[in-house]
Amino acid sequence: MDPLSFIGILIGMVAILGGNFLEGGHIGSLLQLTAFMIVAGGTLGAVVLQSPQKDFIRAIKMTPWVFMPPPVRTEEAIYKIIDWSKLARKEGLLGLETIAEVEDDPFTRKGLEMLIDGSEPETIRMIMEVDITTQESSMLAGAKVYEAAGGYAPTIGILGAVMGLIHVMENLSDPSKLGSGIAVAFVATIYGVGGANLFLLPIAAKLKSITQQQVAYYEMVLDGLVSIAEGENPRSIESKLLGYLTD
Amino acid sequence: MDPLSFIGILIGMVAILGGNFLEGGHIGSLLQLTAFMIVAGGTLGAVVLQSPQKDFIRAIKMTPWVFMPPPVRTEEAIYKIIDWSKLARKEGLLGLETIAEVEDDPFTRKGLEMLIDGSEPETIRMIMEVDITTQESSMLAGAKVYEAAGGYAPTIGILGAVMGLIHVMENLSDPSKLGSGIAVAFVATIYGVGGANLFLLPIAAKLKSITQQQVAYYEMVLDGLVSIAEGENPRSIESKLLGYLTD
Amino acid sequence: MDPLSFIGILIGMVAILGGNFLEGGHIGSLLQLTAFMIVAGGTLGAVVLQSPQKDFIRAIKMTPWVFMPPPVRTEEAIYKIIDWSKLARKEGLLGLETIAEVEDDPFTRKGLEMLIDGSEPETIRMIMEVDITTQESSMLAGAKVYEAAGGYAPTIGILGAVMGLIHVMENLSDPSKLGSGIAVAFVATIYGVGGANLFLLPIAAKLKSITQQQVAYYEMVLDGLVSIAEGENPRSIESKLLGYLTD
Amino acid sequence: MDPLSFIGILIGMVAILGGNFLEGGHIGSLLQLTAFMIVAGGTLGAVVLQSPQKDFIRAIKMTPWVFMPPPVRTEEAIYKIIDWSKLARKEGLLGLETIAEVEDDPFTRKGLEMLIDGSEPETIRMIMEVDITTQESSMLAGAKVYEAAGGYAPTIGILGAVMGLIHVMENLSDPSKLGSGIAVAFVATIYGVGGANLFLLPIAAKLKSITQQQVAYYEMVLDGLVSIAEGENPRSIESKLLGYLTD
Amino acid sequence: MDPLSFIGILIGMVAILGGNFLEGGHIGSLLQLTAFMIVAGGTLGAVVLQSPQKDFIRAIKMTPWVFMPPPVRTEEAIYKIIDWSKLARKEGLLGLETIAEVEDDPFTRKGLEMLIDGSEPETIRMIMEVDITTQESSMLAGAKVYEAAGGYAPTIGILGAVMGLIHVMENLSDPSKLGSGIAVAFVATIYGVGGANLFLLPIAAKLKSITQQQVAYYEMVLDGLVSIAEGENPRSIESKLLGYLTD
C-alpha cells in the first residue's frame, strides 16, 4: 500500500475543486461530457495507435502498482544472501539446493540454480543481466504509455478548445452566448492540462520509480549471487551489499 | 496485423468528430482545403527538405508496418537455436550446414554460415553487430521522418492560423465576417495539432517500438549463435536465451 | 551557510514586489488565497502522487541544505589522505587503524577499514562505488522532487487561470466586473510561473549542484584510498588528488 | 545533386504562398521589410554572437551541401578495400604502395600509408579514430549553427510581433488602423516560425544526416584497413564490410 | 579578440532598434525602468539562488572570454610536442627537464614533470584526465549560469507582462489608458525574450564552445605526452596529433 498516491490525488482534487468553489464557480461548469469525450478519446486513440499491444497491456497491468507497489525488501534479501554465502562456505554450493527449492522469486531462484550447477560467475552475471535488461525495458515501456498519454492530453485539450472557439466564432451574431461558449471551450483545456499534470504524468513518474527500485533490487541480488559464485568471503559480501541500502 | 493501430485511429477520429457533432458544430466547418494545403504542404516540404532520399523512401516503405508489423517470433527462434546448439554438440558445427541452407532470414543465415566456416566467436559477434547497428540506424531514420513531421505540423498549423488572422485583421471593416474569418484561421491549428498528435507522432512511436523489437530479436539470435560458436552447453544457452522473453 | 541562497531569494522578491509597487499596483492584487490554494495544492498533489515515500521525505530533509549545505572540505581531505599514504608507507596498512577509529565520515571510515583488512584494491573500488552510486541516486531523487514541482507549477497556474476565465466568461453580463475578474484569474499564472522560476527550479538546481559536489568529494576519497591500497607512492597520489581541486 | 532539397523548398513555398492566395490574401501583406529586418537581423546577431569564427565559416561552407552533398560511395569503396585485402595477401602490405599514391581521399590515403609503414593495427585504429572524431565534431558544429538559428528565429519573431503590438496599442485612438497594425505585427511571427520550420531546422537536419553518412563511411574504411592490418582473410572482411550497406 | 562577438551584438541591436524605428515606434516606448527591474532582478535572483558561490564567481570571471577568448594554439603545441618526442628519443626523458622549467601552461608542465620523473604512461593518463575532467566541469558550470539565466528570463518576462496586465485589468474603467497600459506590460516580454535570445543564450553557447576547445586542446596534449611516455616514434606521434587539427 502506498498511502502517498491516495493522498496526492486527494490533495490535487481538493485544491482544484475547492478553488473553483471558493471562486464562486459551479461544479457544473467544469463538467462537460463533450469536452471529456474529445480529450479522453483523442488521448486514448493516440496512445492506442502508438503502443505495441504487449506494452499497452503491461501498462494496464502495472496501473494497480501506483497504489499497491510490489514489495521490495532489499534489507531482508541482503541478510538472506549473506546467510547463503556463509552456508556456501561451510557446505559448498550444493548446500544451497534446499534453499533454491523454496525460493519464491523466479529471478533469484534462477540465479541460485545456476550457482548450484556450478556455472562460471561470468556466465551467471551475463545470463542474469539479460533477464534484468529485458524486465527493465518491458516495465519502462509500460510506464511510457502513461508518459505518452500525459504528453498528448494537453495538446488534445487545446485542440478541443480551438474546436469550441471555432463553434463560438461562427455564432458571433448572438453575443449573449459568447461568454458561455468560450467557457465551454476552455473546459477542454482544463481536462487536458489537469488530466496530464494531476494524473497521467505523476503516475508515469511513479511507475518509473517503481521500475528503478525493482531493477536496483535485482542488481543487488545479482551482485550477491555472483560474489558467492566467486567465493568471496561473507564479510566482504556484507560490506558490498549494505552499500545498496539507502537510509 | 496490428489491430491496436486501427482501433487507435478509430477512437481518435470518433472522439474528435463526435465531439464536434455533439457541440453542435457542422463537420463542414472543420473541412477546409486551403488550411489543409498549408499544413500538409508546409509539413511535407520541411520533411522532404530535411530527409536524405533513402531515409524518406524507407519511411514510406515502413509505413505499412504500422498496421502489419513484420512478425517477430522470438520464442520460436529461441527453441530453434537451442536445437541447433544440441545438433552442433552432437555432429559438430558442420552439422548445421543443411539448416543454414533452408534458413529464410538473411541475418540468421549469415550468422549460421560464419558458424559453419569456423569463424572465431569474437569475429562473428563483431560482423553481426555491424549488421544490427546498420539496420537499426536505418530503421530509426525512417521512424524519425514521421517524428520530424510531427514536430513541424503544429508550428506550420500556427503559421497557417496567423496567416488567416492577418487576412481577418486587414478586413476588420466588415465585422460581420470577423467571427467566421477567425474560425477559418483556427482550422489550420486543428489540422496541425491534430495531425501531429493523432497520427504522425503515434506512428513515429510505433515504428520506433517495432525497430526496438527487431533489434532485440537480432541481438538474441546473435547471442545464441555466438554461444554455439563458443561451445557453451545447450542448457546454459537455454537459460540465457529465455531471459530475452517478456511475459 | 550559503549567503547566495538568501540573497537570491531577496533579489527576486524585491524585483517582483518592487516592480509591482512602482507600476502603481497594490500588493493586495497579488495576494489571493484561492489562486494560491489551486496552484500550491495542485502542484503538491501531483508531486505527492508521483514520489515514492522515501524520495519525498528525502526532499524535505534536503531542503535546509539550500541555506546550509553540508560542508565539503576537499582540500583538507586531500592532505589528510596524503598523510595517510605516508603513514601506510612507513608503518604498513595496519598503521591506519587508529585513524580509522576516529574518522567521522562513515564512507571514509568504511574505506579505511577495508584498507586495514587488506582487501584487494579492486574490491575496495567496487564496494565503495556501490555506496557512491546509491548515495547519488538517492540525493538526485530528492532534488528531482523539486524539479518535478517546478515543472507542474506553471501548468497548474495556467489551469487556475483558465478556471478563473471560465468563471469570468459565464458572468459576462456584468461587464464592469470583467476586468477585475480577469485580473484575479491571472494571479494563478503569477503564482505558478513565479513559484517555479523564483523558488522551485533554482532550489532543484542548487540541490543537484550540492549532490555533484558530494559525489566528486567521495570519488576523490575513493581514488585516494584505492591508490594507497595499490601502494602508489605519496607524491604520485598528491599529484592525482590535487587534480580534483578547482581554483 | 540532391533533388529532394529543391523539391522540399518548392513544396513548402507553394503550400504557404498558394494557401495565402486561395484565402484571398495579397502577397503584399506577407512582404514587410521591417519585420524581415527584425527577424533576420536578430537571429543572425544571436548566431554570430554565439558561434566561434571557424564554426560559423564552416556552416557557410557546408551550406551548398544541402543541394550538392559530397558523394558517399560506400559500396564502391567496400569492393576497393576487398581488392586491397587480396592484394595485401598476395604481395604483402608493401604491395599497396602504388594504390596509396593514387588514392584521392586524404583520410583513406593516411590509413593506407600507415598500413604500408607496418604500423600496429591498434595504432592505426587510434590515429584514424582521432581524425574521425575531429571531423565529426567540426561538421556537427557547422550543422548546429543552423539548428541554433532555427531555435532563435521563432522567439525573435514573437519579439518582433510584440514590438508591433506595442506600437499598435500606443495608437489605439485611431481604431481604423488597429486591424492592419496587428496584421503587420503578425508578419514577424510568420517570418520567424516559417523561416525556422521551412528552412533553418530542415537544413540543420540534412547537414546532420550528411555528417552521419560521412562518419559511417569513414568508420567502414577504418574497419576495413584495420582488418587488413590484422591480416584477416578477404572473405571475412567482405562479410564484415557488406554489413555497412543499407538496402 | 573575438570580433564575431562584437559584430553579433551589433547586428542584433541594430535589427531590433532599427526595426522599431522604421515601424515608427519611439525608442522611449521600449525603455521602461520597472519592466527592466522585474525581468533583470527576477532572473538574477533565480540564478543567484540556484548557483553555488564558486560557479557564480566563475561565470563572472569567464564573461570577458566572450570577447577575449583564451588563446588555443593547437597547431603550435603539436609541433612543440613533436619536437619534445624527438628530444626524448635522442637524450632520454631527462632531456625534457629544461623544457619543463620554462613551460608556461601549468597543465602541460605537470605532465612534463611526471614524464621526467619516469611515471608510468597509464599513471600519467589517469592523473591528467582527473585534471581535465575537473577543469571541464568547472568551466561548464560557469557556462550553465548563463544558460540558466537564459531559461529564466523569458518566463520572468511573461510574469512581468501578466503583472502589468493585471494592473490594466483593474483599471478598465478608463479605456483611454488601456492601450498604453498593455503596451507597457508587453515591454517586460521584450526584455525577457530579447535578453535571453540576443545575449544570455548566445553567451552561454559561446562559453561552452570555448570550453570544448580548451578540453580538446588538453586532450591533445595529454595524448601527446602519454605517447612520448610510451616511447612511440615521433613520426607516429605526428600522424596522431595532426588528426586533432581541423581545417
Side-chain angles (χ1 to χ4, degrees), chain B residues 163-217:
Chain B
M163 274 168 62
L165 289 178
I166 288 176
H167 189 54
V168 169
M169 291 297 160
E170 285 176 326
N171 299 286
L172 270 189
S173 49
D174 183 358
S176 70
K177 289 185 177 164
L178 181 63
S180 68
I182 295 179
V184 167
F186 280 179
V187 171
T189 309
I190 303 264
Y191 287 172
V193 172
N197 287 282
L198 296 178
F199 299 97
L200 297 169
L201 293 176
I203 285 176
K206 177 147 273 176
L207 292 179
K208 273 189 185 175
S209 292
I210 291 172
T211 301
Q212 276 176 5
Q213 284 172 16
Q214 290 267 31
V215 167
Y217 174 83

Side-chain angles (χ1 to χ4, degrees), chain C residues 76-152:
Chain C
E76 200 184 308
I78 288 175
Y79 288 108
K80 264 177 25 185
I81 293 173
I82 295 169
D83 283 350
W84 297 346
S85 74
K86 289 176 187 159
L87 192 67
R89 280 247 149 167
K90 232 189 302 165
E91 314 184 7
L93 290 168
L94 287 176
L96 297 170
E97 206 146 19
T98 48
I99 282 159
E101 278 159 16
V102 298
E103 173 61 39
D104 281 335
D105 176 45
F107 175 79
T108 311
R109 191 170 54 241
K110 184 173 177 181
L112 279 168
E113 282 165 0
M114 285 187 288
L115 210 57
I116 296 160
D117 285 0
S119 307
E120 291 293 306
E122 220 24 62
T123 311
I124 298 180
R125 177 180 298 281
M126 270 170 53
I127 290 178
M128 290 179 86
E129 256 166 14
V130 169
D131 274 72
I132 294 179
T133 308
T134 305
Q135 268 287 319
E136 183 180 13
S137 63
S138 157
M139 283 165 75
L140 281 181
K144 274 179 189 163
V145 169
Y146 276 99
E147 198 174 53
Y152 289 127

Side-chain angles (χ1 to χ4, degrees), chain D residues 42-52 55 148 152, chain E residues 2 4-10 13 43 47 55-56 58-70 139-151 153 193-213:
Chain D
T43 304
L44 184 66
V47 165
V48 167
L49 170 54
Q50 91 160 37
S51 305
D55 294 351
Y152 290 128
Chain E
D2 185 342
L4 282 193
S5 296
F6 291 103
I7 297 171
I9 289 178
L10 199 73
M13 296 309 290
T43 304
V47 165
D55 293 351
F56 191 72
R58 174 155 279 265
I60 292 171
K61 277 194 192 149
M62 283 170 76
T63 308
W65 287 7
V66 176
F67 303 103
M68 301 275 218
M139 283 165 76
L140 281 182
K144 274 178 191 164
V145 169
Y146 276 99
E147 199 174 53
V193 172
N197 287 282
L198 296 178
F199 299 97
L200 297 169
L201 294 176
I203 285 175
K206 175 147 274 175
L207 292 178
K208 274 189 184 175
S209 291
I210 290 172
T211 301
Q212 276 176 6
Q213 285 172 16

Side-chain angles (χ1 to χ4, degrees), chain A residues 11 166 169:
Chain A
I11 296 175
I166 289 176
M169 291 296 160

Side-chain angles (χ1 to χ4, degrees), chain C residues 23 29 197 235 239 243 247, chain E residues 58 110 117 134 155 167 170:
Chain C
E23 267 179 359
S29 60
N197 287 282
R235 199 166 146 210
S239 253
D247 26 71
Chain E
R58 174 155 279 265
K110 184 173 177 181
D117 285 1
T134 305
T155 41
H167 189 54
E170 284 176 327

Side-chain angles (χ1 to χ4, degrees), chain B residues 32-58 61 110 113-114 117 119 123 126-128 130-135 137-138 141 144 148 151-156 158-172 184-185 188, chain D residues 2-9 11-12 14-20 22-26 28-30 66-67 125 175 178-180 182-184 186-187 189-190 193-199 201-203 205-207 209-210 212-213 223 230 232 235-247:
Chain B
Q32 251 201 276
L33 199 64
T34 316
F36 180 78
M37 179 179 155
I38 292 174
V39 175
T43 304
L44 184 66
V47 165
V48 167
L49 170 54
Q50 91 160 38
S51 305
Q53 195 170 336
K54 75 175 181 196
D55 293 350
F56 191 72
I57 291 171
R58 174 155 278 265
K61 276 195 193 149
K110 184 173 176 180
E113 283 165 359
M114 286 187 289
D117 285 1
S119 307
T123 311
M126 270 169 54
I127 290 179
M128 291 179 86
V130 169
D131 275 71
I132 294 179
T133 308
T134 305
Q135 268 288 317
S137 62
S138 158
K144 275 179 189 165
Y152 290 127
T155 43
I156 306 282
I158 286 168
L159 194 146
V162 175
M163 274 168 62
L165 289 178
I166 288 176
H167 189 54
V168 169
M169 291 297 160
E170 285 176 326
N171 299 286
L172 270 189
V184 167
Chain D
D2 184 342
L4 282 193
S5 296
F6 291 102
I7 296 171
I9 289 178
I11 296 176
V14 166
I16 302 302
L17 298 182
N20 185 52
L22 288 182
E23 267 181 358
H26 309 283
S29 61
L30 292 185
V66 176
F67 303 103
R125 178 181 297 283
L178 180 64
S180 68
I182 295 179
V184 167
F186 281 179
V187 171
T189 310
I190 302 265
V193 172
N197 287 283
L198 296 178
F199 298 97
L201 293 176
I203 285 176
K206 176 147 274 175
L207 292 178
S209 292
I210 290 172
Q212 276 176 5
Q213 284 172 17
D223 210 353
E230 280 169 342
E232 260 181 55
R235 202 169 144 207
S236 160
I237 295 179
E238 181 171 357
S239 254
K240 193 196 294 182
L241 296 193
L242 287 178
Y244 283 99
L245 277 186
T246 50
D247 26 71

